[in-house]
Amino acid sequence: DIQMTQSPSSLSASVGDRVTITCRASQSIRTYLNWYQQKPGKAPNLLIYAASSLQSGVPSRFSGSGSGTDFTLTISSLQPEDFATYYCQQSYITPRTFGQGTKVEIK
Amino acid sequence: QVQLVESGGGVVQPGRSLRLSCAASGFTFSNYGMHWVRQVPGKGLEWVAVISYDGRNEYYADSVKGRLTISRDNLKNTLYLQMNSLRTEDTAVYYCAKDPANDGFHYYFDYWGQGTLVTVSS
């Protein structure tokens, strides 16, 4: 199975901060990488697909980049509604695996 | 708008069975592959199974193969997960999720249901 490792596991940030989360795959997954946001008690919500494509309806402050094994999710200016847990997921090989999550908390 | 509503979760003893349902609306259900994804409360996400738009193809995570079966009824716009020989490690919130691909799989999830909790305990 492809292992997906996110860093950091958690971070504290302030409103307006630029936040970057990284995701590393245990082997190349080309650009088959997706990002989700999950708030407590809610289902995940797709933010980014194919490494850098913004899902319809998602604010443009979210962006994704990377290919091969290393990927990043960037929030350009953190908003109050962005405090949540973020997961990466590879859609390259079965089983399609997720990272362990990065919790973004209020500083 | 797209809606996915799961039902059927509950408390069940190890070795017993349960069937989950996911009622879909707001899109042409018969055109899209559908997935089940689960999450142990407070933990990460695990993809469980996928079924093609026409129900002809199914794929499973090794952890559930032979015990869980995904199916669909395109006339009822409903996805199912038959769960047999349940184990304590199957305890999780089960989400149904839509694949964005027409007539195939992209293996990511553009819409999710609210989830239904399955607790396997004696």
Side-chain angles (χ1 to χ4, degrees):
Chain A
D1 297 3
I2 296 178
Q3 305 304 316
M4 306 299 295
T5 304
Q6 291 181 230
S7 60
S9 295
S10 64
L11 64 91
S12 295
S14 300
V15 173
D17 283 354
R18 182 181 182 88
V19 170
T20 299
I21 299 168
T22 65
C23 179
R24 176 163 288 174
S26 59
Q27 65 184 76
S28 175
I29 57 171
R30 297 166 61 183
T31 57
Y32 290 87
L33 191 283
N34 314 293
W35 290 97
Y36 301 86
Q37 176 194 68
Q38 187 177 33
K39 296 181 180 179
K42 301 292 187 182
N45 181 50
L46 178 66
L47 300 175
I48 302 285
Y49 63 94
S52 60
S53 295
L54 191 68
Q55 173 69 357
S56 175
V58 174
S60 59
R61 62 180 179 274
F62 291 94
S63 64
S65 64
S67 66
T69 60
D70 294 312
F71 302 87
T72 60
L73 173 70
T74 300
I75 310 172
S76 60
S77 177
L78 198 66
Q79 298 302 299
E81 59 268 30
D82 300 337
F83 292 95
T85 300
Y86 294 83
Y87 292 94
C88 63
Q89 177 241 341
Q90 64 86 11
S91 49
Y92 187 54
I93 289 178
T94 295
R96 270 61 176 182
T97 44
F98 291 83
Q100 82 280 12
T102 295
K103 187 172 184 179
V104 176
E105 299 175 301
I106 302 172
K107 182 182 280 186
Chain B
Q1 71 281 21
V2 172
Q3 269 204 306
L4 299 170
V5 180
E6 301 95 337
S7 60
V11 180
V12 61
Q13 293 179 326
R16 304 298 291 262
S17 298
L18 204 62
R19 189 176 84 156
L20 306 183
S21 300
C22 170
S25 61
F27 66 104
T28 304
F29 180 71
S30 58
N31 282 358
Y32 294 92
M34 295 293 295
H35 301 260
W36 288 98
V37 178
R38 68 185 180 182
Q39 185 173 35
V40 174
K43 301 295 186 182
L45 295 155
E46 179 186 19
W47 173 81
V48 172
V50 62
I51 188 167
S52 60
Y53 69 99
D54 57 2
R56 291 185 179 182
N57 297 294
E58 308 157 27
Y59 302 97
Y60 298 90
D62 285 347
S63 58
V64 306
K65 205 173 291 183
R67 301 185 302 113
L68 275 56
T69 303
I70 190 171
S71 63
R72 65 191 297 159
D73 185 334
N74 284 345
L75 294 178
K76 295 183 177 179
N77 289 347
T78 302
L79 177 72
Y80 301 101
L81 186 67
Q82 178 66 42
M83 310 174 73
N84 296 334
S85 302
L86 281 162
R87 305 168 179 170
T88 55
E89 55 264 37
D90 295 318
T91 294
V93 174
Y94 285 75
Y95 297 101
C96 65
K98 175 184 166 291
D99 194 293
N102 260 346
D103 300 344
F105 305 122
H106 281 329
Y107 277 103
Y108 62 92
F109 321 106
D110 59 352
Y111 291 94
W112 299 62
Q114 85 288 351
T116 188
L117 176 61
V118 173
T119 303
V120 184
S121 174
S122 53

